[in-house]
Amino acid sequence: MERRTPPVGRAAELDRLDAVVEGLAGRGARGGPGGGPGVVDLTGAAGIGKSRLLAELCARAAARGLTVLRGRATEYERHVPFGLFTDALADLDPDLLHALGAPEPAAAPVLYGVEPPPPPPPEPAAARTGAPPGTAPGTAPGTAPTGVPAAAEPLPPGAPDPSRRSEGRFAVHRAAARLFTALARRTGPGLLIALDDLHWADPASLELLDHLLRHPPHAPVLLAVARRERQTAAPLGAALTRGIDTGAVLRLDLGPLAERACVEHLAPGLPPARAARLYAASGGNPLYFLALLQGQGRGRGAAPGPAGGPGLAALLLDELTPLTGAQRRTAQAVALLGDHATPALLAAVTGAGRDGPGADGLDSDGHDSDGLDADLRALAARDLVRPGPGGSWALRHPVLRTAVHEDTDPQRRIRMHRAAARALARAGAGATVRAHHVERSLTSWEPERVAVLLEAADKAAATAPASCAHWLGAVLRVLPHDPAHGRRRLELMLARARALSVCGELRESRDLSYAVADAVAPDDATGLRAAAVTLCASMERHLGDYDAALSLLRRELARRPAPRPCDALALGLELGASAPHSTPFPRVRADVLAAFELAERLGDGPAAAEALALCALGETYEGNLDAAREFSARAGARLETLTDRDLAGRCEALARLGWAEFHLERFEAAERYADRGLAAARRGGELYILTHLLLCKAAVRMNTCRLDSARELADEAEGIARATGSGELLTVVLANRAQVLLAALPPGDRTALAVAEEAVAVAGGRRSWWASLAWCVLGYAALYGGDADRARAAMLHAGRDDLAGLQPSMRPLFLEALVASAVATGDLDPAREWARRAREEAGRLGLPTQRASALRSAAHLLAADGDPGAAARLCARAAEEAALCGATLWEAQSLLLGAALATDGTGPRMWHRGRRLARAGGAGLLTGLADLLPPAPPPAGPPPAPPRSALPGLTPRERQIAALVAEGLTTPAIAGRLYLSPRTVDTHLSHIYRKTGVTTRAALAALTARVGPAREDRAPRSG
């Protein structure tokens, strides 16, 4: 067995990795995922030893019996879809894959690339001589990374043809997760997926990795990634960081090696003074240290500079100085081809292929296949290149590859890429495999080569829209700016704008579609202009600029000649989508109904259903619930008749209908529509619509007290929203997530408050439905955080004049927060007015949850007026109302509030039921408050003596004020009793609320009465 040398100076890191592998193997033996981190995150600077440590982890995992898949991203191939994972799966034993049965069609892009691998081409002499020297033991002949002609194999039996797939990229993610789960369960101890140089990964691979982070496989699977922190995409870095807090991610940030370890292991016997100089110049970076050491051996000084900087590149390039011209060109070819540097492609790009020397304009100096083989051996002897699987070659380190690649003459790079593309075409490689080399060698308009990029873009559109947009951009760069190509340019620009919108690049999509709309004449009769305007307005809406969207749409609808009916329909539906976010629905009601009638005349069932869903949501928001129910029923009936194919591109209708049903408090129907919309959106890939569907389902789960799943849904929505760059979208996501966290976390946890504060900050000065919601949630978070004044101010800011800014169909619930905050500060007059308004509006709406909220508002006032028994009875009625529609969270809250106030012996029963509901649903806030306010002991027998410190954590002055609140005194009365200002009393009360977790004077009075004040807490009476 080959003896391995462990990485230098990383004993502590290796111990932690050993523990992770041991834990994973143990969980695999038990047949379950178990606990422990599911992700290892290795970070550090270039050359610090991440890849070496990752390789050691792979070796130790393999020694424990785990199946190991190792892939690496490469710097110059960042737009090859799923390249990181196809590289990893190239190591998979074909027999193991066959044992699992035919793979799912949706998993094909991850297994084989967006297109199937081509058949192997005729191999040159260099390839026929057998495996190159140093090929890893056990490497099967003909195996190599996907897309390498000399290494490609035909698809295994039953493998799908990815080029004929219709599944979207989210279906790919789920299928890949199931594949990894099956592999882990099949292989006993588990599965390790090691992904190196993650900072260079293609967008499709990053999306898949993000999915695996958020939805870990239910099997012993360990993901290990190595990356440079500063070059990692921000959303992925954030997702990994969040996993650290939950224990799902183990991060090892590799710093410089200690001087002793560096010198003793890398340069034993070096004179101490010289070793110290080299170490200081290297900064403890082993790659830089070795480069300096080799440079001094060739007579170069220790050039200063950061690891990975210009000084290192110069030292690495100096290693090429002794090479012959042919050897140097071979090294350049290896650098250019990356992981696909097989003998077949190397022969093609160095001129040693079947076309002979000088093919494709390359000067080979008579370089034949035998010469290529000799050059590779010479480069391997100098440790410049190392063998890989299936006869491929790679430079020994990515930093060396970068240095060699950038040092190659640009014109020569172009010629080599052109030769590689021609060789791949001769081998029958698909467009997505050739696209990288075609793009790199495309300097002018060449229709045949451009056709390859267009075909690749088309094939990647469903599963890798970022790559699709990239290749379309490459075509647009060389497309001639002349009238003959003008129309084609606009069509490609619009296609690229659509691809950008799907992958969440909303601003770039908006700008591009604006440019198309501006360039097309107003009398356009082809629909291109209308399509660009509709897309542009949609992007403006999702970015939060509703005024711009409305202006754009109304101007287009009013132009002459009028848009075609089908175009007018799309424009009208988008116009209606601005309500109720910033435009009152009554202002666009006629436009939406006109769009519905037009859809009916055109026989466009999906568009008609979308118009009805718009009406349902608009009327629901406004509180016109009879009309809302009618529109919702009609929209639902239409949607039931539509197939999933009919709904492609219409997922927003399901989101709107789901939200309408949610606000109508028909939670089961809301979740059903959300689930169907999620399935359709994951296939179609519209990120911004997926977010709304996730939030709708999260809101249902929160109100029905299923907080664990609600948190997962809200977390997923946040990751997507941040990736889109839309402040408007992020506002609503953060607001909804803060609501979920407020209900899920225990009293005193300020996470929800921080999230609500961010939502308000992101909303800025916007006045929209979602901005108002953000302020309302901040009000609730402040109220439960003990700051009644801030809560009141936030709710009033959300409501604006006469509270008209509060959502009409939920206004009673928001008014309850105002009532509670006013009662908490002793300001009862406005509290009475708000409670009266809540009662009237809840009666008009007739919604159980809103009626329950109005009853609780009245209960707050009764408790403040000294009638806790009547308040408790109202809370019991509120619980019954909430139970009518399945709003378990509000049922539990009503029961627990009533239990704290009950005086007739019903308190324990209410408490036990409320706490049981809260605990079963993961409602940490209510469970914690229940534990702070346990039921009074039964009357039989003497009550237990109260603890000496009746309200632990409070200062003597705070306990004194709490005792006076229990006596029923208002803030002015307490101020007079204690010779304090009312403002000072309110400040003390906010501290008391925060420390005890209660939010109202009634609850504080009940808590104080239960535990009883200590003697010194009682305040003297004035006079």
Side-chain angles (χ1 to χ4, degrees):
M1 178 179 293
E2 182 181 355
R3 183 178 179 181
R4 299 190 317 272
T5 301
V8 173
R10 302 298 183 193
E13 289 87 349
L14 287 171
D15 287 343
R16 300 187 70 181
L17 293 177
D18 280 339
V20 173
V21 172
E22 289 284 342
L24 185 74
R27 296 197 299 273
R30 294 191 299 272
V39 180
V40 172
D41 182 23
L42 304 178
T43 66
I48 204 67
K50 303 182 297 297
S51 297
R52 180 69 183 86
L53 193 60
L54 188 66
E56 183 67 17
L57 170 63
C58 291
R60 296 186 180 204
R64 289 283 308 181
L66 275 72
T67 296
V68 177
L69 303 177
R70 185 176 180 184
R72 187 180 68 180
T74 49
E75 182 176 8
Y76 301 105
E77 293 83 14
R78 300 189 197 188
H79 294 283
V80 178
F82 299 105
L84 179 59
F85 282 92
T86 54
D87 185 40
L89 285 161
D91 295 335
L92 185 61
D93 183 352
D95 293 335
L96 177 58
L97 185 59
H98 281 293
L100 297 176
E104 294 184 51
V110 181
L111 278 166
Y112 314 115
V114 173
E115 292 185 274
E123 292 185 334
R128 293 194 299 270
T129 58
T135 298
T139 300
T143 60
T146 301
V148 184
E153 293 181 330
L155 290 176
D161 180 353
S163 64
R164 293 195 293 269
R165 276 179 25 268
S166 61
E167 293 85 352
R169 65 193 195 276
F170 294 104
V172 174
H173 300 167
R174 295 193 301 275
R178 288 191 290 269
L179 172 64
F180 295 141
T181 298
L183 286 171
R185 290 174 176 169
R186 182 81 182 185
T187 54
L191 173 68
L192 168 63
I193 305 173
L195 305 174
D196 203 358
D197 288 331
L198 187 65
H199 47 279
W200 286 328
D202 62 279
S205 291
L206 291 178
E207 281 190 347
L208 173 54
L209 178 59
D210 183 72
H211 176 86
L212 295 173
L213 292 174
R214 295 181 183 280
H215 307 281
H218 295 289
V221 176
L222 177 65
L223 283 166
V225 301
R227 62 191 178 92
R228 301 176 194 170
E229 177 73 39
R230 293 183 180 180
Q231 294 175 246
T232 302
L236 179 63
L240 289 167
T241 300
R242 282 195 299 272
I244 295 173
D245 299 333
T246 64
V249 175
L250 169 65
R251 175 170 294 170
L252 299 178
D253 190 4
L254 305 187
L257 293 178
E259 181 174 359
R260 181 176 179 180
C262 193
V263 173
E264 288 186 357
H265 289 85
L266 301 181
L270 199 67
R274 184 181 171 194
R277 288 195 303 271
L278 288 178
Y279 178 81
S282 72
N285 184 292
L287 177 66
Y288 202 14
F289 183 88
L290 288 172
L292 288 168
L293 184 64
Q294 293 173 357
Q296 284 209 348
R298 293 188 297 272
R300 292 177 62 97
L312 177 58
L315 287 169
L316 293 173
L317 287 174
D318 193 50
E319 295 185 49
L320 274 63
T321 302
L323 302 181
T324 66
Q327 291 169 351
R328 191 181 189 95
R329 284 191 290 275
T330 300
Q332 291 170 344
V334 173
L336 179 130
L337 293 171
D339 287 341
H340 294 175
T342 60
L345 280 183
L346 285 170
V349 302
T350 59
R354 66 183 186 182
D355 289 342
D360 294 299
L362 296 168
D363 53 343
S364 66
D365 294 335
H367 200 206
D368 55 16
S369 297
D370 292 336
L372 173 62
D373 187 55
D375 290 340
L376 287 170
R377 292 176 185 275
L379 294 173
R382 293 181 177 274
D383 196 27
L384 288 168
V385 301
R386 293 175 179 176
S392 63
W393 292 88
L395 290 161
R396 73 167 182 265
H397 195 280
V399 175
L400 177 59
R401 182 196 180 193
T402 301
V404 174
H405 186 281
E406 295 305 310
D407 187 59
T408 305
D409 177 71
Q411 292 302 314
R412 181 171 182 81
R413 286 204 302 262
I414 291 172
R415 293 195 298 272
M416 286 196 292
H417 277 298
R418 186 180 292 267
R422 289 181 57 180
L424 288 167
R426 288 194 300 269
T432 55
V433 178
R434 291 180 282 152
H436 165 68
H437 295 291
V438 170
E439 177 198 349
R440 292 274 177 167
S441 60
L442 192 64
T443 58
S444 61
W445 178 248
E446 299 177 63
E448 289 186 5
R449 290 160 59 75
V450 163
V452 175
L453 295 182
L454 292 176
E455 183 183 352
D458 180 66
K459 291 181 180 298
T463 55
S467 296
C468 171
H470 173 80
W471 285 325
L472 289 173
V475 172
L476 286 166
R477 283 193 293 273
V478 298
L479 187 66
H481 288 270
D482 57 36
H485 295 87
R487 179 74 183 186
R488 185 59 172 150
R489 173 174 293 279
L490 295 175
E491 292 170 346
L492 290 174
M493 288 170 64
L494 185 58
R496 185 165 188 265
R498 288 196 179 104
L500 290 167
S501 75
V502 170
C503 60
E505 298 293 338
L506 305 188
R507 296 182 188 279
E508 193 173 353
S509 173
R510 176 201 59 189
D511 294 344
L512 203 53
S513 52
Y514 252 130
V516 175
D518 286 344
V520 179
D523 59 353
D524 170 62
T526 65
L528 182 62
R529 177 186 173 89
V533 169
T534 303
L535 178 60
C536 183
S538 176
M539 296 300 99
E540 291 284 26
R541 172 166 59 89
H542 287 291
L543 289 167
D545 196 341
Y546 298 101
D547 291 340
L550 284 169
S551 175
L552 190 64
L553 291 163
R554 290 201 181 279
R555 187 167 62 247
E556 188 65 17
L557 283 166
R559 72 175 171 87
R560 293 294 178 266
R564 299 178 306 171
C566 58
D567 296 332
L569 175 58
L571 293 163
L573 289 174
E574 182 56 40
L575 181 68
S578 66
H581 304 286
S582 68
T583 304
F585 181 70
R587 293 186 187 176
V588 297
R589 183 186 287 123
D591 298 288
V592 180
L593 290 175
F596 169 73
E597 293 171 359
L598 181 55
E600 291 283 77
R601 289 199 303 271
L602 295 174
D604 191 337
E610 185 173 352
L612 291 170
L614 275 169
C615 290
L617 180 59
E619 300 291 9
T620 301
Y621 175 88
E622 298 294 339
N624 303 324
L625 300 192
D626 289 339
R629 292 186 183 97
E630 179 187 351
F631 281 120
S632 184
R634 292 171 64 188
R638 291 296 184 99
L639 288 169
E640 290 298 328
T641 66
L642 300 177
T643 66
D644 290 344
R645 184 180 297 275
D646 294 330
L647 289 173
R650 302 282 187 182
C651 302
E652 208 161 3
L654 288 162
R656 293 189 181 105
L657 192 55
W659 275 113
E661 291 288 352
F662 169 80
H663 291 303
L664 289 169
E665 299 183 2
R666 300 191 296 210
F667 300 128
E668 184 178 345
E671 186 164 1
R672 185 173 67 253
Y673 289 126
D675 281 337
R676 189 177 182 194
L678 283 168
R682 291 187 193 280
R683 285 192 299 271
E686 297 98 337
L687 287 179
Y688 46 92
I689 298 173
L690 185 64
T691 302
H692 295 303
L693 291 159
L694 289 167
L695 291 183
C696 179
K697 188 171 181 176
V700 171
R701 293 291 176 96
M702 181 190 75
N703 279 265
T704 54
C705 208
R706 292 173 284 172
L707 272 301
D708 289 343
S709 60
R711 289 181 68 176
E712 292 176 3
L713 292 161
D715 286 348
E716 183 178 357
E718 182 188 359
I720 296 172
R722 291 190 184 279
T724 66
S726 168
E728 182 79 351
L729 198 57
L730 185 57
T731 294
V732 67
V733 167
L734 291 174
N736 278 274
R737 182 167 178 261
Q739 288 186 85
V740 172
L741 291 174
L742 185 61
L745 299 176
D749 192 305
R750 300 177 69 81
T751 304
L753 179 62
V755 174
E757 288 171 337
E758 185 183 358
V760 166
V762 173
R766 289 197 297 272
R767 293 288 191 179
S768 66
W769 177 14
W770 293 338
S772 173
L773 175 64
W775 280 97
C776 288
V777 175
L778 177 63
Y780 266 105
L783 182 63
Y784 281 96
D787 193 341
D789 288 326
R790 188 183 188 191
R792 179 174 177 175
M795 301 303 294
L796 291 175
H797 184 280
R800 304 195 296 274
D801 298 337
D802 196 30
L803 303 181
L806 300 179
Q807 181 179 337
S809 56
M810 293 189 70
R811 195 174 285 144
L813 184 63
F814 297 141
L815 286 167
E816 183 188 357
L818 280 170
V819 171
S821 61
V823 169
T825 58
D827 195 2
L828 299 187
D829 288 340
R832 296 186 201 285
E833 172 58 26
W834 290 327
R836 180 198 62 77
R837 184 170 176 179
R839 182 178 65 253
E840 291 180 355
E841 298 206 18
R844 180 180 64 82
L845 292 169
L847 295 171
T849 298
Q850 301 305 313
R851 288 199 300 261
S853 180
L855 288 168
R856 289 194 302 272
S857 291
H860 290 307
L861 281 168
L862 284 172
D865 289 337
D867 193 352
R873 289 190 291 275
L874 287 184
C875 288
R877 287 176 54 195
E880 293 171 358
E881 287 282 357
L884 291 176
C885 64
T888 310
L889 181 71
W890 301 110
E891 180 186 0
Q893 180 175 342
S894 302
L895 288 168
L896 292 172
L897 178 60
L901 298 168
T903 58
D904 58 359
T906 59
R909 179 177 56 81
M910 296 175 72
W911 183 90
H912 282 292
R913 175 165 172 76
R915 188 182 185 281
R916 184 172 67 253
L917 292 174
R919 185 175 182 182
L925 176 66
L926 295 180
T927 304
L929 292 177
D931 293 340
L932 284 170
L933 295 167
R948 178 62 184 158
S949 179
L951 293 171
L954 300 187
T955 66
R957 175 65 83 186
E958 289 167 352
R959 290 199 299 271
Q960 203 173 49
I961 290 174
L964 293 175
V965 168
E967 292 180 19
L969 272 67
T970 64
T971 293
I974 295 173
R977 177 78 65 86
L978 299 179
Y979 304 101
L980 301 172
S981 71
R983 185 175 184 84
T984 299
V985 173
D986 285 339
T987 299
H988 283 301
L989 279 172
S990 69
H991 295 163
I992 294 168
Y993 292 148
R994 185 174 67 252
K995 292 178 180 180
T996 61
V998 300
T999 60
T1000 66
R1001 298 172 79 92
L1004 178 59
L1007 175 62
T1008 305
R1010 292 283 170 81
V1011 298
R1015 176 179 297 273
E1016 65 270 20
D1017 294 343
R1018 299 190 179 98
R1021 294 185 177 273
S1022 59

